[in-house]
Amino acid sequence: MNSRSPSINPQSTRRRASLPGRAYSRRLSAVSSAELGQDGATVETAEQKIEEEIEEIKRYEDFTTIDWVQDAAREQLRRRARRKESAGFFERKGRFGIRHKLWESYDAGQAWIVMTLVGAAIGLNAAFLNIVTEWLSDIKLGHCTTAFYLNENFCCWGAENGCPEWHRWSSFPPINYVLYFVFSIIFASTSASLVKSFAPYAAGSGISEIKCIIAGFVMKGFLGFWTLLIKSISLPLAIASGLSVGKEGPSVHYAVCTGNVISRFFDKYKRNAAKTREILSACAAAGVAVAFGSPIGGVLFSLEEMSSYFPLKTMWRSYFCALVATAVLAAMNPFRTGQLVMFQVRYDRSWHFFEVIFFVFLGIFGGLYGAFVIKWNLQVQAFRKKHLSKYPILEATILAAGTALLCYPNMFLRIDMTESMEILFLECEGGHDYDGLCDAKNRWTMALSLGFATIMRTFLVIISYGCKVPAGIFVPSMAIGASFGRMVGILVEALHGAFPQSKFFSACEPDVPCITPGTYAFLGAGAALSGIMHITVSVVVIMFELTGALTYILPTMIVVGTTKAVSAYFPPGGIADRMISFNGFPFLDTKEEHTFHVSVSSVMTPVSTITLLPSTGLSLRALEALLRKSSFQGFPVVEDRASRILLGYIGRTELRYAIDKTKKEQSLNPDAKCLFFAPASTAVRTPSALTPPVTFESMPSSSSVQTVDFSRFVDPTPLAVHPRLALETVMELFKKMGPRVILVELKGHLTGLITVKDCLKYQFRVEAQERGGEGESRTDRFEAWIWERMRRVGDWTGSLVGRVSGGRIRLGLGEARGEGLLAAGSQDPRDARESIGGLVSREEQERGILDGTENDEEGVELRAR
């Protein structure tokens, strides 16, 4: 869409007519070749150099947003400059030779080279993590006498129920209980310490942040090498600690980190945000592919959940990257079974039509589970951010200790979640039995045990997801769904055993098992995954690729469809989308539709609160003072502050760069006048002009310079809309075009501007008014009561440890006494943020919305927008 098209602003043509020639001074190609006195290739090379320097500066600006409109324009400039630069080298007697063809082939093949390297690295990393995680999980229960580095499966290769070579730590069960408890604490505290000390961004799942980064939000260090390294080391420790967290969500994070780190070695991706976005989308698909052994499911997950912009080219590259990653993982064969993940399973029997009733029941459970966990986990996250953000190591350690104490007595909670899903998915035939799970005599005991495991795991997921260790929610949710589904399958099997001659079971064949409880576990896992993430098609494909059972696609679709229908009755968005809103990231979900019935003028920031730059007359001293006092990321350029006739827009980074470059190259009088738009008499210069303009390179090194021309850095065609345009249309512009800011003008006069943050603030305000504020004060009082009891327990425990250790070990929360032993010395940047004023809900008051007006060091939102 043209930023000055009549469909957006019919007054734009009138204003252009009154300002002749301004269209000739676009910032990206502002000055003609004759004006600079050089040929076109040199001009565009110089412009490209300036743009790349500015882009390099922007790479290190934290908590800002990428302007995709400007990024596309810069890429066009780079292409033209590269084409003209290489013309002399590749041409021979006026014709392109073999060197040109080879260069074009390499340039076109860079994407596939990067995809191959990234996919191979992701597959290797996934295999390494699988091996380490299984060994750490088993070492809590015992050790292999033949080789200490072997886990239980490799130590007892081919044996179903253990072997003499695998020994428990002691023949006395209480000692095993204590060692299990100690190992859990050590693993959790080590993981949290690594995250806190070296890479705070390695905590959590990372899917919410990656969605925002792919959409254009910049989070410095989130996809860096240290985050990749620490996440890869601390993730197996967090899983092995027994915390109710999974590695499938973090696998997307370390996969995207891998793609970001490797692509930085190629200039094609180093400074091109749009092409980097393609790499990150493909890596997200590869991360899901290696997590579930599902390459097609990974591509669909990236399309359905991760990417707001997913063209056909990105889909094909995502497929290729997922293919390479899964091929490398299959070649590594970490489980030595040919399976890509532990809980892959194959079903030989089909299903019966009467079971659809129970499948629908599983779907209803999935929808209710997702709504329940999302609601209460957000409450826990708010409490954690308010009270526990300074004590991440202590929190993770206590959670691991409590989880170990509660889970060890239950045989389904004691083992690793992926291993428990493998057990629950299996059919009973073929000797697959785990502690009497398939024994008809133990049906009611197993059903009660599975019901307890479902309730306890749900509680643990609510309080554990979000603690400061690498933590995903995919596998915990699937484990909860599997335990509930297996319980339902056992009850249906018992029902069939009690009434085998009933007409309801008339479809069952004689002498053949009618009910397969493992399939109910499999379908329950899919329902819970769909309910917590609010995804549908990708779940069906992932579950199909896990089983390879074509006959169970229809039951999976029924279950997921029912889950989707139930989820529609609750607030929209899965856990990742809700965490984006909770953390205040500037993200407009393309899947959401809004109807506000207001114009953009009701939401915009009015011109009276905006810092304007006059086209002429502003001194360099005043301009620098304005930059120091203002926190704006850009400034509208007007003819004068009285008329407010809009001429263009200049970004803060470009303006700062221009001032520094000018000062570096020559001495300037602080009272020199700044020119942001050339007068009409000089703006229209044709190639026949003989006098070159005054530029940075041609300015004399003297303090007598009275005018500094910044017009080449001004965008003369910013995106602008009419004040009466509907807010929904403006939000669609942000979603589809991706500008950082949209100006609002009436008959050529600036009336305000609007950002994504303004849209989100208004959206939250409307939603808060619809919900009402009832119960918030009660919730605050309850949180304060919980925190006071936690402080008392912590102080008592700290004093007890201090007395026992003679004062050598200091534990506790005491704020006045200084930081405790397990307290954090620095906070996660995602927690160090002020709230945004004007939001009426307590939940919104506790979160801020970032849009590029934040402090670079802490990510704290500044008072002035």
Side-chain angles (χ1 to χ4, degrees):
M1 179 182 296
N2 192 307
S3 60
R4 287 282 187 257
S5 63
S7 61
I8 295 180
N9 194 339
Q11 302 298 332
S12 58
T13 55
R14 182 185 303 175
R15 181 169 57 80
R16 280 206 306 268
S18 65
L19 301 172
R22 282 169 182 158
Y24 289 94
S25 56
R26 282 191 62 93
R27 180 166 53 85
L28 297 178
S29 56
V31 187
S32 67
S33 58
E35 287 179 323
L36 290 177
Q38 343 175 32
D39 61 356
T42 307
V43 174
E44 294 194 348
T45 302
E47 292 286 345
Q48 180 194 11
K49 182 179 178 182
I50 291 176
E51 290 295 336
E52 289 180 352
E53 289 178 3
I54 295 175
E55 186 65 22
E56 189 70 18
I57 295 171
K58 285 186 175 182
R59 282 182 56 203
Y60 298 98
E61 289 184 350
D62 202 6
F63 295 106
T64 59
T65 51
I66 296 172
D67 193 318
W68 295 112
V69 178
Q70 292 186 8
D71 185 77
R74 281 194 295 267
E75 178 58 19
Q76 291 296 327
L77 171 68
R78 293 191 193 102
R79 288 180 179 177
R80 289 199 303 269
R82 282 199 304 267
R83 193 178 299 115
K84 292 191 176 183
E85 258 184 14
S86 60
F89 177 76
F90 290 122
E91 285 184 9
R92 189 172 184 180
K93 296 182 181 180
R95 301 177 62 184
F96 291 114
I98 187 66
R99 287 187 299 183
H100 179 262
K101 294 181 179 179
L102 291 175
W103 172 255
E104 280 192 338
S105 300
Y106 169 74
D107 188 63
Q110 273 192 50
W112 306 110
I113 296 173
V114 173
M115 289 291 94
T116 303
L117 294 175
V118 170
I122 292 172
L124 290 172
N125 198 13
F128 163 77
L129 292 179
N130 285 335
I131 295 171
V132 174
T133 301
E134 293 307 314
W135 182 79
L136 289 175
S137 298
D138 287 345
I139 205 67
K140 296 190 301 181
L141 301 173
H143 63 96
C144 185
T145 56
T146 56
F148 187 77
Y149 56 85
L150 294 178
N151 61 24
E152 185 176 5
N153 286 336
F154 284 170
C155 185
C156 303
W157 190 256
E160 284 288 338
N161 295 312
C163 63
E165 290 79 11
W166 180 261
H167 283 186
R168 298 289 178 182
W169 288 111
S170 173
S171 58
F172 187 52
I175 294 180
N176 291 328
Y177 196 175
V178 172
L179 290 176
Y180 182 91
F181 178 80
V182 171
F183 273 119
S184 298
I185 290 178
I186 293 174
F187 292 160
S189 59
T190 304
S191 178
S193 299
L194 289 172
V195 170
K196 171 245 174 180
S197 301
F198 299 102
Y201 278 144
S205 171
I207 290 180
S208 304
E209 292 83 356
I210 292 171
K211 287 184 68 172
C212 298
I213 290 173
I214 291 177
F217 189 51
V218 178
M219 296 182 68
K220 182 173 63 177
F222 190 83
L223 301 179
F225 173 77
W226 276 105
T227 303
L228 170 62
L229 179 63
I230 298 302
K231 192 125 191 173
S232 300
I233 296 174
S234 58
L235 178 58
L237 293 169
I239 302 301
S241 69
L243 287 169
S244 293
V245 296
K247 67 175 183 292
E248 276 64 21
S251 69
V252 176
H253 189 184
Y254 74 67
V256 176
C257 287
T258 304
N260 181 68
V261 170
I262 292 178
S263 65
R264 291 300 176 187
F265 291 100
F266 295 82
D267 288 336
K268 185 175 183 179
Y269 298 96
K270 189 175 183 180
R271 295 188 178 92
N272 190 332
K275 291 190 177 298
T276 303
R277 177 166 61 172
E278 297 176 3
I279 297 292
L280 301 186
S281 299
C283 292
V288 175
V290 296
F292 292 103
S294 173
I296 303 300
V299 175
L300 291 177
F301 177 83
S302 182
L303 169 63
E304 185 176 2
E305 178 66 12
M306 299 299 298
S307 302
S308 56
Y309 177 74
F310 204 84
L312 185 61
K313 178 174 62 174
T314 303
M315 179 182 291
W316 171 229
R317 288 175 180 172
S318 300
Y319 169 77
F320 181 77
C321 187
L323 172 64
V324 173
T326 49
V328 171
L329 180 62
M332 293 290 293
N333 195 12
F335 304 113
R336 294 295 184 268
T337 59
Q339 297 178 339
L340 298 179
V341 292
M342 181 177 286
F343 46 87
Q344 277 184 325
V345 67
R346 294 291 181 267
Y347 294 121
D348 299 326
R349 292 196 297 270
S350 184
W351 54 283
H352 304 90
F353 188 75
F354 67 84
E355 293 181 280
V356 170
I357 298 176
F358 306 109
F359 298 160
V360 171
F361 179 68
L362 291 177
I364 294 173
F365 164 79
L368 295 177
Y369 161 80
F372 180 80
V373 170
I374 290 172
K375 174 181 173 58
W376 290 104
N377 179 256
L378 290 178
Q379 294 287 343
V380 172
Q381 296 276 32
F383 180 84
R384 177 179 287 118
K385 181 175 289 189
K386 189 175 181 180
H387 298 291
L388 302 177
S389 59
K390 294 182 180 179
Y391 315 103
I393 303 176
L394 181 60
E395 180 197 1
T397 304
I398 292 175
L399 282 174
T403 302
L405 288 174
L406 294 173
C407 292
Y408 188 83
N410 186 280
M411 62 181 184
F412 297 109
L413 296 176
R414 183 189 313 144
I415 59 178
D416 182 63
M417 285 179 287
T418 55
E419 186 178 352
S420 69
M421 278 196 293
E422 179 190 24
I423 293 168
L424 295 174
F425 284 178
L426 288 174
E427 297 176 344
C428 286
E429 287 69 29
H432 301 299
D433 195 4
Y434 175 74
D435 287 354
L437 177 63
C438 295
D439 194 344
K441 299 177 182 179
N442 299 331
R443 280 176 181 169
W444 296 107
T445 303
M446 289 297 165
L448 291 175
S449 180
L450 288 168
F452 174 78
T454 301
I455 296 172
M456 184 56 63
R457 184 75 75 187
T458 302
F459 169 74
L460 292 174
V461 166
I462 289 173
I463 64 174
S464 300
Y465 181 69
C467 67
K468 299 306 179 182
V469 296
I473 202 171
F474 284 19
V475 163
S477 296
M478 293 178 69
I480 291 170
S483 59
F484 180 81
R486 185 78 184 211
M487 180 188 70
V488 173
I490 291 175
L491 295 178
V492 174
E493 189 178 36
L495 184 66
H496 173 258
F499 305 99
Q501 304 301 323
S502 173
K503 291 184 179 180
F504 186 76
F505 299 107
S506 59
C508 296
E509 299 178 6
D511 301 327
V512 175
C514 182
I515 305 298
T516 307
T519 61
Y520 286 78
F522 157 75
L523 295 173
L529 178 59
S530 177
I532 198 67
M533 293 299 297
H534 283 209
I535 51 179
T536 53
V537 179
S538 52
V539 170
V540 174
V541 176
I542 287 173
M543 302 309 288
F544 164 67
E545 290 186 279
L546 280 175
T547 62
L550 193 64
T551 55
Y552 280 92
I553 283 187
L554 183 56
T556 308
M557 294 176 68
I558 292 172
V559 168
V560 171
T562 306
T563 300
K564 178 67 173 177
V566 173
S567 300
Y569 287 95
F570 299 96
I575 187 70
D577 299 317
R578 301 290 291 277
M579 286 301 298
I580 289 174
S581 301
F582 179 82
N583 287 321
F585 298 137
F587 180 78
L588 289 173
D589 195 348
T590 56
K591 299 187 290 292
E592 290 187 7
E593 296 182 0
H594 304 283
T595 305
F596 297 115
H597 302 294
V598 297
S599 63
V600 67
S601 60
S602 303
V603 183
M604 70 179 184
T605 301
V607 70
S608 58
T609 60
I610 301 173
T611 301
L612 305 177
L613 297 181
S615 60
T616 58
L618 187 66
S619 67
L620 186 61
R621 189 198 311 272
L623 181 60
E624 290 184 307
L626 184 148
L627 282 175
R628 286 193 300 271
K629 295 178 182 179
S630 173
S631 63
F632 295 113
Q633 291 298 307
F635 306 93
V637 177
V638 295
E639 198 166 77
D640 57 73
R641 288 171 176 167
S643 65
R644 303 196 305 273
I645 296 178
L646 181 62
L647 303 181
Y649 186 84
I650 185 169
R652 184 188 189 91
T653 304
E654 286 87 346
L655 185 55
R656 185 74 263 175
Y657 169 84
I659 294 174
D660 293 341
K661 184 177 177 65
T662 307
K663 285 185 171 182
K664 182 180 178 181
E665 295 184 353
Q666 63 271 318
S667 176
L668 285 177
N669 188 335
D671 295 322
K673 300 302 179 183
C674 300
L675 183 67
F676 292 98
F677 227 100
S681 58
T682 59
V684 185
R685 291 181 181 268
T686 63
S688 61
L690 301 177
T691 306
V694 178
T695 63
F696 293 149
E697 293 77 6
S698 61
M699 284 181 180
S701 300
S702 147
S703 61
S704 62
V705 177
Q706 297 298 318
T707 304
V708 185
D709 187 2
F710 295 120
S711 60
R712 69 190 302 182
F713 296 96
V714 176
D715 180 9
T717 57
L719 194 61
V721 297
H722 194 278
R724 290 197 295 270
L725 188 67
L727 177 61
E728 296 86 350
T729 305
V730 174
M731 294 176 74
E732 288 299 316
L733 288 175
F734 277 119
K735 293 176 184 178
K736 291 182 168 60
M737 298 186 66
R740 176 184 286 182
V741 62
I742 295 178
L743 304 180
V744 184
E745 64 172 357
L746 177 63
K747 299 181 179 179
H749 298 272
L750 182 70
T751 60
L753 60 81
I754 186 170
T755 64
V756 173
K757 174 180 174 180
D758 296 319
C759 298
L760 290 174
K761 284 179 65 176
Y762 183 81
Q763 176 183 334
F764 292 150
R765 189 178 300 115
V766 170
E767 292 175 354
Q769 290 173 352
E770 292 176 351
R771 289 195 304 266
E774 299 180 1
E776 291 182 4
S777 59
R778 194 184 318 119
T779 303
D780 289 337
R781 289 195 298 270
F782 179 71
E783 287 185 0
W785 182 84
I786 290 291
W787 176 240
E788 182 60 29
R789 297 303 179 276
M790 292 176 64
R791 284 187 59 84
R792 290 182 181 179
V793 173
D795 290 340
W796 178 82
T797 305
S799 61
L800 178 63
V801 172
R803 287 196 304 270
V804 172
S805 64
R808 289 187 295 272
I809 300 177
R810 182 169 56 90
L811 291 174
L813 307 177
E815 297 171 351
R817 298 186 298 273
E819 295 293 342
L821 179 67
L822 298 180
S826 60
Q827 286 182 274
D828 189 326
R830 290 167 287 188
D831 293 333
R833 232 176 17 251
E834 295 180 8
S835 63
I836 289 183
L839 300 182
V840 299
S841 168
R842 178 192 60 81
E843 179 183 350
E844 277 79 42
Q845 284 288 349
E846 291 177 351
R847 71 188 180 210
I849 305 175
L850 302 171
D851 71 337
T853 62
E854 290 73 36
N855 181 284
D856 287 350
E857 296 179 357
E858 298 179 352
V860 180
E861 187 181 8
L862 302 176
R863 294 290 183 184
R865 194 191 62 78

